[in-house]
Amino acid sequence: MIAVAQHFSPQSSLAKTVTGFVPRAAQTEMATAVAQVMRTKESLVVEAETGTGKTYAYLVPLLTATGKAIISTGTKALQEQLYFRDLPLLRDAIAPGKQVALLKGRSNYLCLHRMQQASAQSGEFSKVVQSQLVTVRQWAQRTEDGDLGLLNVLPEDAEVLPQVTSTVDNCLGRDCPDYEECYLVKARKRALDADLVVVNHHLFFADMALKDVGFGELIPAVDTVVFDEAHQLPDIASQYFGEAVSSRQLQELAQDLKVIYLTELKDLKQLDRIADKLLMTLREWRLMFPVEPQRGNWRDWQRRAGVKEAAADVAEQLQLVIDVTKNALGRSKDLDQAYERATLAAHKWEQLQATERTGYSFWYETTPRQITLHQTPLSVADKFGAYIDAADMAWVFTSATLAVGQDFSHFTEQLGLSSAQTLCLSSPFQFSKQALLCLPRYLPQPQAPEFFAKVLEIVEQVLSVNQTGGTFLLFTSHRMLQRVGAALAEKTDRPLLVQGSTSKRELLAQFVAAGNGILLGTSSFWEGVDVRGDALRCVVIDKLPFASPDDPLLQARVEDARLRGLDAFSQVQLPQAIIALKQGAGRLIRDQDDRGVLIICDQRLVSKPYGGTFLASLPAMRRTRDLQEALKFLAELEAAKSHE
């Protein structure tokens, strides 16, 4: 059998197959380390900076080894890139006999049973939903895999989607009349038969925490699990080891009761009445919270006038649903399942009212369409660490941003990875020649009223010089994003792309196509975005990405750190912000030929003692405090472009 390192040599089939392949020492080192832990069934944590080639570094050992493996990613974009681009290329080159499969969460697949139910009561829907339902039905005639992500004519948040997809709550499983034709079942079967399965973190933890019945047989059958974009794991794991109930879940339960009444149990008028009562109670519950999207401390909010009473009304209506459906059990599979959903929701709702319990953060989150109550454990280290130790398999955790300096303890302690090996691999890019980091002088503090005007002035100067290249403007808050976006809309005729106006994928496609676009984004654009060449020549970051002090989960972790006698700022807030800044800075240089400028408009990098820790974690770019020097660098890139 060929040693893993040989696959990365200049004479390998990989070098002959992959256009532009260049052997990289760090890539070979990572691949060798992955192959080693696969043999010994241990854990490995790898920070592989941009340009290392970490994707190939873990794919080659997986493809050349015997046994089954799962790759879990943080985003759908990387999941699809792996499955549709990287895996086919590598498999054909080095392991043509391997079977690979893509498995997404159930909300990505069309549910035939739900679609038929929706069609039977389409008159109850708005004109928009009726039109979207027609589109879905037409597409259903020609789709092979039922993946709604390929239905591009619908917006990502189309109102019809909850009506034509299933949830863990409302899926009938083997009792479904369409079980044999179910797209989700078929996707899972392909995953069980495959040698290598690509999933995402949410799906992995849904299975691990036994939240998704019927998928639990996949993970125990594998020999190796690789987590790419592993820096996201602590927060995602916390969600799945906690509990949550959303008003949308309960609204869907009520709507499903109405469907059952209209289609199966037309003699049970009481079903329709209790569904209407539950919907009315949920509308009153919504009035207990602000209209604008926000997160808050549920323990504190619960003390407000009328809130406990409104929560008790929801509990009362859920109990009514339980009583009515219990009396009709056995008459309908959908009704039997609605009874189970109501019982489970009532139990969770009761838990979420008992906020005096310690060890958890109790918080709420509002969106324009729903309110969700959460109970999140402050630490998942014991649970997750025990799971890793008990499983007889290899575990690989990798990302471009896991360490603070060379220290992995912030990450490993959060997940209980006490015995994991660690590896820190530097980028092969020549950052000192390719990029310039500018920390402009004379900026006001981020909280100062004049900060917005100064940031806008810097952005305008950048855009006046960077005419033929693209510019990313990354913000730590939606409010700042909207203010700058509104101001620029009146000042430029270049493509101005603002997060939220359409899907992330579409915004990036438009940005790359434009060549000189201006893209404004918040947290989701700080990572998982790969734009190469002149299409992205400058990244401007407004502030250091410290989590909002109002974030309830952060507040709970800070309080927990204090109770344990730790410095909460250095142990909780600072490492999290450093990793987030590394992600944002990593958007700039994506290729050995890229050139560009990173501007960070936060004086704290030079005025606060912790500023040096941030700077030490960033790539070794040439630095300046003089904005004019940064503009000159951009002007040189502009001139070089015009002479091509």
Side-chain angles (χ1 to χ4, degrees):
M1 184 178 176
I2 300 174
V4 164
Q6 290 181 252
H7 286 285
F8 296 91
S9 73
Q11 295 78 36
S12 67
S13 55
L14 203 60
K16 295 170 186 173
T17 307
V18 179
T19 305
F21 177 83
V22 178
R24 298 171 230 183
Q27 186 178 51
T28 306
E29 185 180 354
M30 177 174 170
T32 303
V34 170
Q36 174 63 25
V37 297
M38 288 175 66
R39 284 193 292 272
T40 58
K41 295 193 174 180
E42 294 177 298
S43 299
L44 173 69
V45 179
V46 187
E47 176 172 284
E49 290 184 359
T50 307
T52 305
K54 63 181 169 64
T55 304
Y56 283 16
Y58 64 70
L59 283 181
V60 169
L62 294 182
L63 286 168
T64 54
T66 56
K68 190 180 181 77
I70 288 176
I71 302 171
S72 180
T73 74
T75 59
K76 284 184 190 176
L78 180 57
Q79 198 180 0
E80 291 174 352
Q81 176 189 307
L82 277 169
Y83 182 74
F84 291 111
R85 192 184 78 184
D86 298 330
L87 264 172
L89 190 65
L90 283 182
R91 182 188 60 182
D92 293 348
I94 61 176
K98 288 277 186 178
Q99 287 189 59
V100 299
L102 175 69
L103 185 61
K104 297 182 179 180
R106 65 167 63 243
S107 64
N108 293 276
Y109 297 99
L110 175 68
C111 173
L112 295 169
H113 180 57
R114 299 271 298 166
M115 182 181 71
Q116 289 159 9
Q117 284 187 316
S119 300
Q121 55 140 5
S122 59
E124 301 283 313
F125 298 135
S126 68
K127 295 294 184 187
V128 171
V129 175
Q130 288 181 34
S131 174
Q132 291 175 346
L133 184 57
V134 170
T135 301
V136 171
R137 286 179 61 84
Q138 291 171 344
W139 173 78
Q141 300 300 315
R142 57 182 187 274
T143 181
E144 293 184 3
D145 59 9
D147 185 349
L148 287 158
L150 303 178
L151 183 53
N152 296 326
V153 293
L154 287 184
E156 280 192 333
D157 61 347
E159 290 180 58
V160 76
L161 293 179
Q163 308 299 332
V164 296
T165 56
S166 70
T167 65
V168 178
D169 291 335
N170 62 31
C171 176
L172 294 176
R174 292 186 179 276
D175 292 329
C176 179
D178 295 294
Y179 182 80
E180 296 300 325
E181 301 303 316
C182 176
Y183 293 116
L184 179 62
V185 170
K186 290 178 179 178
R188 287 176 172 170
K189 186 177 187 312
R190 287 192 295 271
L192 286 169
D193 293 340
D195 301 301
L196 205 159
V197 187
V198 183
V199 302
N200 61 55
H201 300 338
H202 286 279
L203 185 58
F204 184 93
F205 280 99
D207 175 48
M208 182 183 155
L210 302 178
K211 297 288 179 71
D212 205 350
V213 179
F215 176 43
E217 67 269 32
L218 182 59
I219 293 176
V222 305
D223 300 285
T224 305
V225 177
V226 175
F227 291 105
D228 202 340
E229 297 174 321
H231 61 280
Q232 299 179 7
L233 289 181
D235 283 343
I236 293 175
S238 294
Q239 292 176 35
Y240 283 91
F241 287 124
E243 297 289 1
V245 176
S246 72
S247 57
R248 179 171 171 174
Q249 281 177 281
L250 303 182
Q251 285 164 347
E252 288 175 358
L253 171 62
Q255 294 292 355
D256 288 346
L257 292 173
K258 292 176 76 68
V259 171
I260 294 167
Y261 164 67
L262 289 168
T263 58
E264 296 184 68
L265 303 179
K266 296 180 181 178
D267 61 318
L268 198 57
K269 179 66 178 172
Q270 202 175 0
L271 267 188
D272 196 44
R273 291 198 195 101
I274 60 168
D276 284 336
K277 280 188 175 181
L278 179 56
L279 288 170
M280 183 178 70
T281 304
L282 290 169
R283 283 193 289 271
E284 291 169 355
W285 169 243
R286 181 69 185 86
L287 295 175
M288 294 291 107
F289 295 84
V291 174
E292 66 276 5
Q294 69 172 46
R295 286 180 167 193
N297 187 311
W298 172 228
R299 279 193 180 106
D300 293 343
W301 200 266
Q302 195 183 35
R303 299 189 187 103
R304 294 193 170 216
V307 173
K308 279 194 174 182
E309 292 78 2
D313 289 344
V314 174
E316 185 180 333
Q317 292 307 317
L318 278 173
Q319 187 57 50
L320 195 57
V321 169
I322 292 168
D323 293 341
V324 171
T325 51
K326 187 175 184 179
N327 289 330
L329 287 176
R331 294 189 59 192
S332 156
K333 297 286 187 188
D334 287 304
L335 183 117
D336 291 355
Q337 204 236 18
Y339 166 75
E340 292 176 7
R341 288 162 64 188
T343 304
L344 181 61
H347 173 67
K348 287 184 182 179
W349 191 261
E350 183 181 2
Q351 273 191 301
L352 289 161
Q353 309 313 310
T355 57
E356 70 283 353
R357 288 173 295 131
T358 57
Y360 295 92
S361 170
F362 290 91
W363 54 288
Y364 68 84
E365 184 174 26
T366 68
T367 70
R369 295 187 184 178
Q370 66 176 322
I371 298 163
T372 308
L373 296 185
H374 295 268
Q375 168 194 300
T376 304
L378 297 181
S379 172
V380 297
D382 291 344
K383 265 191 176 180
F384 189 73
Y387 186 92
I388 296 291
D389 291 341
D392 185 28
M393 60 182 77
W395 300 84
V396 178
F397 304 82
T398 186
S399 170
T401 54
L402 288 176
V404 176
Q406 299 280 314
D407 184 8
F408 286 91
S409 60
H410 176 69
F411 177 78
T412 56
E413 287 172 8
Q414 283 183 297
L415 292 178
L417 305 176
S418 55
S419 59
Q421 301 172 39
T422 59
L423 183 62
C424 204
L425 300 171
S426 300
S427 172
F429 296 156
Q430 294 181 298
F431 284 103
S432 61
K433 295 179 179 178
Q434 292 179 246
L436 179 68
L437 168 61
C438 179
L439 311 173
R441 286 192 184 94
Y442 313 124
L443 286 179
Q445 291 298 323
Q447 67 273 19
E450 60 271 23
F451 182 71
F452 162 73
K454 194 64 182 175
V455 171
L456 182 60
E457 180 187 323
I458 289 172
V459 169
E460 289 174 359
Q461 291 182 70
V462 166
L463 296 178
S464 69
V465 175
N466 189 29
Q467 292 279 347
T468 62
T471 306
F472 260 17
L473 308 178
L474 298 180
F475 300 93
T476 56
S477 72
H478 283 277
R479 183 171 179 270
M480 188 70 162
L481 178 148
Q482 295 299 338
R483 289 184 71 188
V484 173
L488 289 180
E490 299 176 0
K491 297 172 183 287
T492 183
D493 55 1
R494 284 160 64 177
L496 188 65
L497 306 163
V498 181
Q499 180 179 336
S501 58
T502 184
S503 70
K504 180 178 177 181
R505 186 188 301 178
E506 181 61 26
L507 281 175
L508 285 170
Q510 291 179 26
F511 180 77
V512 172
N516 69 337
I518 308 161
L519 193 149
L520 288 74
T522 55
S523 54
S524 62
F525 280 90
W526 285 59
E527 59 181 271
V529 174
D530 188 6
V531 180
R532 304 184 182 208
D534 289 319
L536 179 54
R537 203 185 276 162
C538 183
V539 173
V540 181
I541 292 175
D542 70 335
K543 299 177 188 176
L544 296 178
F546 286 107
S548 167
D550 296 330
D551 183 282
L553 189 52
L554 175 68
Q555 288 177 343
R557 284 176 174 159
V558 165
E559 182 61 26
D560 180 63
R562 285 176 183 151
L563 290 173
R564 290 188 289 133
L566 302 174
D567 176 11
F569 180 76
S570 63
Q571 296 294 316
V572 179
Q573 293 161 284
L574 187 60
Q576 193 174 315
I578 288 171
I579 288 170
L581 184 66
K582 286 170 70 175
Q583 282 287 340
R587 296 317 97 214
L588 182 63
I589 303 298
R590 308 297 301 173
D591 188 87
Q592 60 187 6
D593 296 322
D594 281 357
R595 301 286 185 277
V597 172
L598 170 64
I599 300 174
I600 304 177
C601 305
D602 196 324
Q603 280 294 326
R604 291 175 293 180
L605 277 171
V606 289
S607 66
K608 297 290 185 180
Y610 56 74
T613 312
F614 275 101
L615 292 172
S617 293
L618 293 177
M621 304 176 185
R622 187 159 56 90
R623 295 176 191 167
T624 181
R625 299 292 317 278
D626 186 352
L627 180 62
Q628 294 309 310
E629 189 177 342
L631 296 175
K632 181 184 175 186
F633 190 95
L634 284 172
E636 290 168 358
L637 297 179
E638 189 78 10
K641 175 75 172 178
S642 66
H643 287 111
E644 286 181 358

